Amino acid sequence: MRKTATIAALLACTATAPIAAKEGMFTPGQLPEIAEDLKETGLEIDPETLTDLTGFPMGAIVSLGGCSASFVSPEGLVVTNHHCARGSVQYNSTAENNYLENGFLAKAKGDELPAAPGSRIYVTTEITDVTARMRDGVDALSATERYDTLEQRMKDITAECEQDAGSRCQVASFYGGAEYTLIKRLEVRDVRLVYAPADSIGKYGGDIDNWMWPRHTGDFAFYRAYVGPDGSAADYSEDNVPYQPEHHLKVSAAGLDDGDFVMAAGYPGSTQRYATLAEVENTFSWTYPTYVTLVNDWIDTIEEAAPEGSDARVKYESLLAGLNNFEKNTRGQLEGARRVGLVDRRRAREEALAAWIAADPSRTNYGDAISGLQALTVEGAAAAKKAFWYNFATRPSLLSAAQRLYRLSQERLKPDAQREPGYQDRDMTFFAQGLQALDRRYEASVDKAQWLLFLDTYLEEPAQNRVAVFDDALGLTGDVDAAALSAKLDSYYAGTTLDDSETRLALMDASPADFEASEDPFIQLAVALYEYEREQEAEAEERAGRAQALRPAYMEAITQWQRSQGLSTYPDANSTLRVTYGNVMGGSPKDGMAYLPFTTLEGILEKDTGEDPFNAPAKQLQEIREKDYGPYALDSIGSVPVNFLSDLDSTGGNSGSATLNARAELVGLLFDGTFESVNSDWDFDPRTTRTIHVDTRYMLWVMDKVDGAEGLIEEMDIVD
């Protein structure tokens, strides 16, 4: 692996003013600017080493494409959260052989199972600043031309990067499109499940404890990366060999104590710290409340249609877990916004920013950009409200598959470089694996129940929010009889062949004419909706093009205004590598409420009821009662720590992030935040923001005392 000359400016421009607080998901290139505070907080290694993504320790940090992870052995062993690997556990499970319930452990490499289709491990190999190439001349273009030009340049740069076999490249945007960085990664396509504790450990507390403290969840699991015999990226094959990373993390059995330095390295998904007032108002007055109501009904519908213990429930476990997580997070966002007065705080920020702009005539262009962005936000919100229920009404799994397949047939009429993202040759492996994965995540009766729910909400919408072509195609004109609608949907499921994976895969090579001649009802509906959806897509792209002209100026105004106050501006999270740091720390998010920094094994006994989700394995309970702590106890708490709190700044996508001590040794995995913290996506509050980690001492204790994973312990570098 090699490092480019641009790594010093990695992922973002380096601000010159000191950061005033621990708030911030920093790009590695910013870390030298806060080196003094890193050292004062407790970091013992040179902060400069953290800017080298191909060196130690950052070279051990990887992305799973939605979660974070890290190498912990020279033989490609990767540790991440249980909930990040749970989709692969679910994919390999059946009602008769349920790894979700029983856990999975490969005693030898030959026993490891292929992860769910589409699973990837991404290892960063090179970073390049491509801002000049991306932005050259775009300011003079119309909105649609700007959008198309930026997208085409992004595709061209990516295609050039991916000429190296086995590479997966990404052009990432920072500060609202003011800067662009090309990230080149090795794409490990052969990912295998090595070990995941049973849900009664890895998901202990379930949705009840999700986002809550105290927590006692063993949220960890292991994958292994495999490559071809020559070391190149390769699809699954029995001939493949474990990938040998240049760097892997040592695992600490000594762990941490209250107040110790910690940092997390991972790939946070997105934050909205710089969203405008109009964006905040629309989100918290309409979008989030609407989602909470819908998702609760959605969960109830799945649970009724897929009874506990059925094969259908196994197929929908991952979706249910995701919906429950999303619902609770969204409720936390709403409660947090109310508690801190988010709308008023954002209004005050914009008033202060406006006053700063007005104080200098040379800043007028900033004010124009902000006004334009506010107006565009209102316009986009109106379009989103109109499309919201239609998007759900067209969500059935087989309709979605038919729409993607028909779109693919149309896109293939174009040269590959001109196709839409997601439909280029580089995307076809993912495309096919997504079609295959449907086999273990689809049941007709459950899919129909969801469709009926979404249609009920759609039919309640006023006429201006209905889509005529959809109503005509599905017969939703006039008074809709519930029994007749149910029978109509039955005819779709009875008349389709898209429930067969071989049929779906074969249609990847079909022409538009093949689809247009099809008698499959889902394909007919997809064809009928195609032109309308392309029109909506074109309108959305035109709005995005206008935003691409306005948001860089808005972010420049924010940056310059904060700099005038002695503050720096870190970019919003965008699924690129970030570092956040702080200390092991409890807290008091509300009057009379105190959070201790650690939970213990004994807390599992106190919570345990013997019924899901508080149904720890009998062997684990016995070991706890016997106080068989082994070498993993923390003297200050007199037990083995299970989870711990820190004041790190994190969000979704950080799941599985390596939590490192002052010497960059693995001491835990970041897996959640407290309920009071979730609103920090929008507005950081140092009093309430706390992140939850699973302690490596608990991970090792479970592996040693409960699941007999001694082979994995021996494979890792365990340090005291």
Side-chain angles (χ1 to χ4, degrees), residues 198 200-201 204 608 615-622 706-707:
S200 52
I201 290 177
Y204 190 78
D608 208 78
N615 56 335
K619 184 176 182 181
Q620 182 183 33
L621 296 175
Q622 178 183 346
V706 181
D707 284 340

Side-chain angles (χ1 to χ4, degrees), residues 350-550:
E350 293 204 354
E351 289 173 353
L353 177 61
W356 176 81
I357 292 171
D360 187 337
S362 68
R363 301 169 186 160
T364 302
N365 65 308
Y366 292 151
D368 294 340
I370 293 170
S371 297
L373 197 58
Q374 295 278 22
L376 181 59
T377 298
V378 173
E379 179 185 333
K385 288 180 181 179
K386 179 177 180 180
F388 187 87
W389 297 111
Y390 168 78
N391 290 340
F392 277 96
T394 55
R395 198 185 183 280
S397 297
L398 300 188
L399 175 57
S400 297
Q403 288 179 301
R404 293 194 67 220
L405 285 162
Y406 184 51
R407 177 73 180 271
L408 176 62
S409 74
Q410 296 282 357
E411 293 293 329
R412 279 193 159 159
L413 300 177
K414 309 173 189 176
D416 183 62
Q418 296 176 20
R419 297 178 198 166
E420 289 295 311
Y423 296 91
Q424 294 181 283
D425 288 344
R426 70 189 292 267
D427 304 308
M428 288 303 97
T429 299
F430 279 110
F431 199 106
Q433 289 175 331
L435 295 175
Q436 291 173 312
L438 193 58
D439 281 348
R440 290 299 305 151
R441 292 170 183 170
Y442 165 80
E443 185 75 31
S445 59
V446 184
D447 199 70
K448 179 195 170 185
Q450 294 176 93
W451 198 6
L452 282 171
L453 168 68
F454 300 145
L455 287 173
D456 284 344
T457 54
Y458 170 78
L459 291 169
E460 293 173 358
E461 284 295 285
Q464 64 267 26
N465 286 353
R466 298 272 292 272
V467 177
V469 66
F470 179 63
D471 289 358
D472 292 341
L474 203 58
L476 301 179
T477 54
D479 294 331
V480 180
D481 177 78
L485 179 59
S486 179
K488 175 76 171 181
L489 300 193
D490 284 339
S491 70
Y492 272 73
Y493 291 100
T496 188
T497 58
L498 289 174
D499 53 356
D500 175 67
S501 62
E502 294 303 318
T503 299
R504 295 191 298 270
L505 291 171
L507 285 170
M508 288 180 65
D509 297 319
S511 68
D514 293 330
F515 284 95
E516 290 152 14
S518 173
E519 296 183 358
D520 188 294
F522 283 111
I523 292 177
Q524 291 176 338
L525 184 54
V527 171
L529 299 176
Y530 182 78
E531 290 300 330
Y532 170 78
E533 296 203 350
R534 297 295 72 74
E535 291 171 4
Q536 300 307 300
E537 185 176 80
E539 291 178 9
E541 289 175 354
E542 193 275 338
R543 288 192 296 272
R546 282 187 276 158
Q548 287 166 339
L550 297 169

Side-chain angles (χ1 to χ4, degrees), residues 509-693:
D509 297 319
S511 68
D514 293 330
F515 284 95
E516 290 152 14
S518 173
E519 296 183 358
D520 188 294
F522 283 111
I523 292 177
Q524 291 176 338
L525 184 54
V527 171
L529 299 176
Y530 182 78
E531 290 300 330
Y532 170 78
E533 296 203 350
R534 297 295 72 74
E535 291 171 4
Q536 300 307 300
E537 185 176 80
E539 291 178 9
E541 289 175 354
E542 193 275 338
R543 288 192 296 272
R546 282 187 276 158
Q548 287 166 339
L550 297 169
R551 201 167 288 277
Y554 168 65
M555 286 305 305
E556 183 179 347
I558 290 280
T559 300
Q560 296 300 326
W561 172 56
Q562 290 188 335
R563 184 169 293 168
S564 72
Q565 302 173 71
L567 302 174
S568 285
T569 305
Y570 55 88
D572 262 322
N574 62 351
S575 298
T576 59
L577 185 60
R578 303 296 177 91
V579 175
T580 179
Y581 71 101
N583 302 95
V584 177
M585 183 185 298
S588 179
K590 298 179 182 179
D591 180 48
M593 178 183 287
Y595 287 166
L596 297 177
F598 290 95
T599 57
T600 68
L601 293 180
E602 282 67 27
I604 297 172
L605 287 179
E606 294 171 2
K607 282 184 177 179
D608 208 78
T609 63
E611 297 181 1
D612 183 55
F614 299 103
N615 56 335
K619 184 176 182 181
Q620 182 183 33
L621 296 175
Q622 178 183 346
E623 296 285 350
I624 297 173
R625 291 190 183 100
E626 294 176 356
K627 297 187 181 299
D628 186 0
Y629 302 148
Y632 311 113
L634 172 62
D635 291 342
S636 62
I637 62 174
S639 183
V640 175
V642 177
N643 297 149
F644 65 88
L645 286 176
S646 75
D647 62 348
L648 300 192
D649 191 357
S650 64
T651 189
N654 267 128
S655 291
S657 293
T659 305
L660 307 175
N661 63 15
R663 298 176 298 280
E665 297 162 347
L666 187 74
V667 289
L669 298 176
L670 191 160
F671 74 92
D672 210 351
T674 59
F675 190 69
E676 299 82 13
S677 299
V678 295
N679 193 244
S680 65
D681 281 0
W682 297 82
D683 184 60
F684 185 85
D685 180 358
R687 178 188 176 188
T688 60
T689 299
R690 294 294 182 271
T691 292
I692 306 175
H693 314 250

